[in-house]
Amino acid sequence: EVYAMLETVKKNQSSEEISTVDRDKIDFAENGIHLRKANTSPIIRIYNEETTPAEADYIAQKMIEVIKALVA
């Protein structure tokens, strides 16, 4: 259940500022990440806005690791 996973991620990141307007957004000290359930697939889409593609990939990979750890 993707919605349950998103709720678990938000609880796990509860020390960060979280916004649920439009989609789930977690604001970290220096960056932020958006999590959204795909409409047509049982997946979580990860969006972030960074200054370089490498930074964006790094932040996305860190969130993937958090999600995988919560599923295991």
Side-chain angles (χ1 to χ4, degrees), residues 2 36-45:
V2 175
R36 189 173 194 174
K37 180 191 177 301
N39 289 331
T40 58
S41 306
I43 62 172
I44 298 172
R45 297 191 189 280

Side-chain angles (χ1 to χ4, degrees), residues 7 10-11 16 18 32 34 36 38-39 52 57 62 64:
E7 289 302 314
K10 288 190 291 186
K11 287 178 186 173
E16 307 298 341
I18 298 175
H34 299 267
R36 189 173 194 174
N39 289 331
T52 68
D57 289 344
K62 286 301 207 181
I64 290 168

Side-chain angles (χ1 to χ4, degrees), residues 8 14 24 28 31-33 38-39 41-42 50 52 57 60 62 65 72:
T8 302
S14 63
D24 295 323
F28 300 105
N31 51 44
I33 195 162
N39 289 331
S41 306
E50 297 298 329
T52 68
D57 289 344
K62 286 301 207 181
E65 290 171 13

